[in-house]
């Protein structure tokens, strides 16, 4: 979609610095080049210099008329999602990304489109049909270039049911349909833990926790009011970097100002975290947060040493005693890059079982649903390899002895921060007693343990 109204406003705001959006074909060509999806084997200084390392999905695209900025674009499951947000002000000097409100609106709209399109990506006919309906849906979601409803899935793809005005003037734009039936509220807190462990004296291990609170409120009425509180155990680290959904009607400013950039001190907001809101019809993420937790859930040590034609490996894992010892799954994957298939394997595991992948380039250590009483497990083994073929994995980073173990796990009914929803704190201002269900989970995300016998790539010094 192109919006002449938005392009006219951009010209007015940007003045002499305005770069017009080129034709669709020229824009696509320039965008594919910028995203390294064409000519990626050729070094182009303007695009590939170290001075232009991308830390976000906001790009500057070179066009015949000059540099077009900001272009919000990302590549997901074989599709590119892109939009050009309006900057309401001067482009020189470039304003900080956080001050450009169009970026967050554009990202919300693109994520809504991705949520609508991506479930069908394996069925080409279904995906083509959905993409064909997108134009109609965008007329409702973003009629004049300003997103009014970013939940594309909740919109109706036919024009017959579109109301020119909502029947109830109090009904907010994000409540696209009304529910009839027994009121119920489902809340799920999902925390993801990222980790880089090196087991080296001069390198600091790093870990981060990211949380999202997902809600699905089936409640009658055009604008029902719900209040939900997040609670923490005593002495737990506070939640930080809190971002709330636009349906939240009011929030304590101190809650939003608590950021992980500042050192922890007494004035940091430590709850309770109260969110009054008018829920959309579909499931949505009420808020996101981070937290500075004192320890990672699983501490590990990995050693890989070449001994002639063989490789000797040792992996030790220890579950921290504060972590709930009840997993849905827990496994360690040990890939071998830039080598041939595993020809010979001798090993000993103290717990669980070791499997070899079909391609014979990956060891999968299935620890299962519990660690033993000692909370420690170990694996030792000797591996030798055959001749490498094209099908075996390569990695520019993992050369020589630089290698890692990656952990995959999920702990139901547990969060690393201790964050939980007290069901009695959920207030729904409608007649009848609603059914309230609350759940939580901790999931691993990019959980790496690097070989301590080799130099590993550093995330933070």
């Amino acid at each position: 979609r192109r919006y002449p109204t938005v392009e006219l406003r951009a010209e007015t705001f940007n003045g002499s610095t305005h770069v017009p959006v080129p034709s669709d074909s020229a824009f696509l060509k320039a965008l594919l080049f910028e995203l390294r999806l064409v000519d990626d084997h050729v070094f182009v200084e303007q695009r590939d210099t170290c001075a232009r390392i991308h830390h976000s999905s906001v790009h500057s695209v070179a066009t015949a008329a000059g540099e077009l900025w900001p272009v919000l674009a990302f590549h997901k499951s074989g599709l590119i999602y892109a939009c050009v947000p309006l900057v309401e002000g001067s482009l020189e000097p470039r304003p900080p990304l956080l001050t450009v409100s169009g970026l967050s609106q554009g990202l919300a709209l693109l994520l809504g489109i991705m949520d609508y399109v991506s479930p069908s990506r394996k069925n080409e006919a279904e995906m083509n049909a959905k993409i064909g309906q997108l134009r109609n849906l965008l007329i409702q979601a973003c009629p004049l270039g300003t997103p009014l409803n970013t939940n594309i899935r909740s919109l109706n793809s036919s024009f017959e049911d579109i109301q020119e005005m909502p029947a109830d003037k109090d009904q907010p734009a994000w409540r696209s349909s009304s529910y009839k039936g027994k009121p119920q509220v489902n809340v799920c807190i999902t925390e993801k833990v990222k980790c880089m462990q090196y087991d080296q004296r001069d390198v600091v291990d790093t870990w981060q926790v990211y949380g999202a609170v997902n809600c699905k409120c089936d409640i009658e009425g055009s604008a029902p009011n719900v209040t939900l509180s997040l609670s923490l155990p005593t002495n737990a680290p506070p939640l930080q970097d809190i971002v709330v959904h636009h349906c939240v009607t009011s929030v304590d400013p101190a809650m939003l100002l608590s950021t992980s950039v500042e050192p922890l001190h007494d004035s940091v907001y430590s709850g309770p975290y109260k969110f009054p809101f008018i829920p959309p019809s579909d499931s949505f993420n009420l808020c996101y947060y981070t937290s500075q937790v004192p320890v990672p859930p699983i501490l590990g040590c990995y050693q890989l040493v070449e001994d002639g034609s063989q490789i000797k490996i040792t992996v030790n894992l220890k579950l921290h005693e504060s972590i709930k010892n009840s997993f849905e799954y827990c496994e360690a994957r040990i890939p071998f890059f830039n080598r041939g298939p595993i020809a010979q394997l001798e090993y000993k595991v103290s717990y669980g079982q070791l499997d070899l992948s079909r391609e014979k380039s990956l060891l999968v250590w299935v620890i299962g649903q519990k660690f033993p009483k000692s909370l420690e497990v170990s694996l030792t083994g000797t591996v030798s390899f055959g001749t490498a073929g094209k099908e075996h994995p390569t990695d520019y980073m993992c050369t020589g002895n630089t290698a890692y173990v990656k952990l995959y796990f999920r702990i139901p009914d547990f969060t690393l921060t201790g964050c939980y929803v007290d069901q009695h704190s959920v207030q729904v201002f409608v007649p009848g007693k609603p059914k309230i269900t609350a759940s939580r989970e901790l999931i691993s995300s990019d959980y790496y343990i690097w070989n301590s016998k080799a130099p590993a790539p550093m995330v933070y010094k």
Side-chain angles (χ1 to χ4, degrees):
R1 283 295 304 271
R2 299 178 78 102
Y3 295 96
T5 48
V6 181
E7 294 192 42
L8 192 64
R9 288 180 69 203
E11 207 171 328
T12 310
F13 276 120
N14 308 153
S16 60
T17 58
H18 176 67
V19 176
V21 180
S23 69
D24 290 2
S25 57
F27 177 74
L28 177 62
K29 191 178 175 184
L31 182 63
L32 290 173
F33 179 78
E34 171 64 22
L35 294 177
R36 298 179 61 88
L37 296 172
V38 292
D39 297 338
D40 65 324
H41 58 287
V42 182
F43 176 80
V44 180
E45 188 165 348
Q46 169 201 338
R47 177 191 67 185
D48 302 319
T49 171
C50 288
R52 284 196 64 194
I53 296 172
H54 287 300
H55 296 290
S56 73
S57 298
V58 181
H59 300 271
S60 179
V61 174
T63 71
E67 292 276 320
L68 183 64
W69 182 91
V71 175
L72 183 59
F74 55 89
H75 185 232
K76 188 84 177 169
S77 306
L79 293 172
I80 300 166
Y81 299 86
C83 70
V84 184
L86 174 68
V87 179
E88 296 183 338
S90 174
L91 287 174
E92 284 183 8
R94 277 188 186 172
L97 296 183
L98 283 173
T99 64
V100 183
S101 61
L103 281 170
S104 53
Q105 293 177 340
L107 182 61
L109 184 65
L110 291 181
L111 291 175
I113 293 172
M114 186 179 84
D115 186 46
Y116 168 73
V117 170
S118 61
S120 317
R121 68 179 190 274
K122 285 177 183 169
N123 183 334
E124 202 173 329
E126 192 181 318
M127 190 166 81
N128 288 340
K130 279 195 168 183
I131 290 172
Q133 290 168 354
L134 258 182
R135 192 166 185 83
N136 287 356
L137 296 172
L138 277 173
I139 290 170
Q140 301 167 61
C142 191
L144 292 170
T146 301
L148 300 180
N149 185 355
T150 57
N151 189 351
I152 308 294
R153 268 199 307 174
S154 69
L155 300 171
N156 198 311
S157 58
S158 77
F159 280 114
E160 294 158 23
D161 300 348
I162 299 174
Q163 302 169 331
E164 293 212 2
M165 286 292 288
D168 188 330
K169 64 178 172 48
D170 296 325
Q171 183 171 333
W174 59 85
R175 264 188 88 74
S176 54
S177 58
S178 53
Y179 170 79
K180 293 273 183 273
K182 194 169 187 276
Q184 49 188 8
V185 176
N186 290 304
V187 187
C188 178
I189 302 173
T190 300
E191 283 187 359
K192 292 187 175 181
V193 56
K194 278 187 162 190
C195 195
M196 289 275 174
Q197 294 181 36
Y198 302 100
D199 192 34
Q200 293 184 14
R201 267 191 193 169
D202 57 336
V203 188
V204 180
D205 293 348
T206 64
W207 57 92
Q208 293 116 358
V209 179
Y210 305 90
V213 180
N214 185 271
C215 298
K216 176 80 168 77
C217 303
D218 293 325
I219 301 165
E220 290 188 1
S222 56
N225 284 294
V226 181
T227 300
L228 183 147
S229 292
L230 298 181
S231 306
L232 291 172
T234 43
N235 301 326
L239 305 183
Q240 296 176 314
D241 305 314
I242 297 172
V243 179
V244 299
H245 190 272
H246 60 72
C247 73
V248 174
T249 50
S250 67
V251 72
D252 191 321
M255 191 196 297
L256 301 180
L257 291 171
S258 176
T259 72
S260 56
V261 179
E262 299 166 1
L264 294 176
H265 50 77
D266 296 341
S267 65
V268 167
Y269 191 91
S270 54
Y273 304 89
K274 209 169 188 178
F275 301 95
F277 59 97
I278 298 170
S281 316
D282 260 358
S283 75
F284 68 103
N285 284 332
L286 176 69
C287 70
Y288 300 92
Y289 61 84
T290 68
S291 183
Q292 298 184 17
V293 294
V295 287
I298 298 173
L299 284 163
C301 166
Y302 177 36
Q303 294 185 344
L304 178 151
V305 180
E306 289 204 43
D307 182 11
S309 61
Q310 292 184 324
I311 279 180
K312 290 187 173 175
I313 59 166
T314 307
V315 186
N316 293 310
L317 301 175
K318 184 178 193 303
L319 181 69
H320 194 269
E321 56 268 17
S322 65
I323 307 300
K324 181 183 177 187
N325 189 7
S326 176
F327 294 78
E328 184 185 302
Y329 57 84
C330 180
E331 63 183 47
R333 295 187 186 179
I334 310 164
F336 295 99
F337 295 106
N338 313 312
R339 303 174 192 272
I342 294 171
Q344 214 169 354
L345 170 66
E346 290 174 20
Y347 69 91
K348 184 182 174 186
V349 286
S350 69
Y351 196 79
Q353 67 179 65
L354 191 69
D355 297 326
L356 179 60
S357 72
R358 200 172 53 186
E359 302 81 23
K360 299 192 174 178
S361 57
L362 173 75
L363 296 180
V364 181
W365 180 14
V366 180
I367 294 154
Q369 295 178 318
K370 257 186 176 348
F371 272 68
K373 269 190 178 175
S374 65
L375 302 182
E376 293 186 46
V377 293
S378 64
L379 156 69
T380 54
T382 309
V383 188
S384 57
F385 300 89
T387 313
K390 276 186 180 176
E391 71 279 8
H392 291 284
T394 56
D395 193 307
Y396 300 115
M397 202 176 276
C398 297
T399 54
N401 285 0
T402 300
Y404 60 76
V405 172
K406 192 172 181 184
L407 297 190
Y408 295 82
F409 57 82
R410 178 180 179 268
I411 307 177
D413 196 28
F414 180 81
T415 50
L416 204 49
T417 58
C419 182
Y420 65 96
V421 173
D422 180 358
Q423 295 186 13
H424 302 292
S425 76
V426 180
Q427 297 172 292
V428 183
F429 301 95
V430 290
K433 196 177 178 191
K435 182 187 176 189
I436 292 157
T437 54
S439 60
R440 52 188 192 155
E441 60 182 0
L442 177 69
I443 300 172
S444 64
S445 167
D446 295 337
Y447 204 105
Y448 292 96
I449 298 160
W450 290 90
N451 176 20
S452 60
K453 296 288 186 186
M458 299 304 149
V459 181
Y460 302 102
K461 286 284 187 196

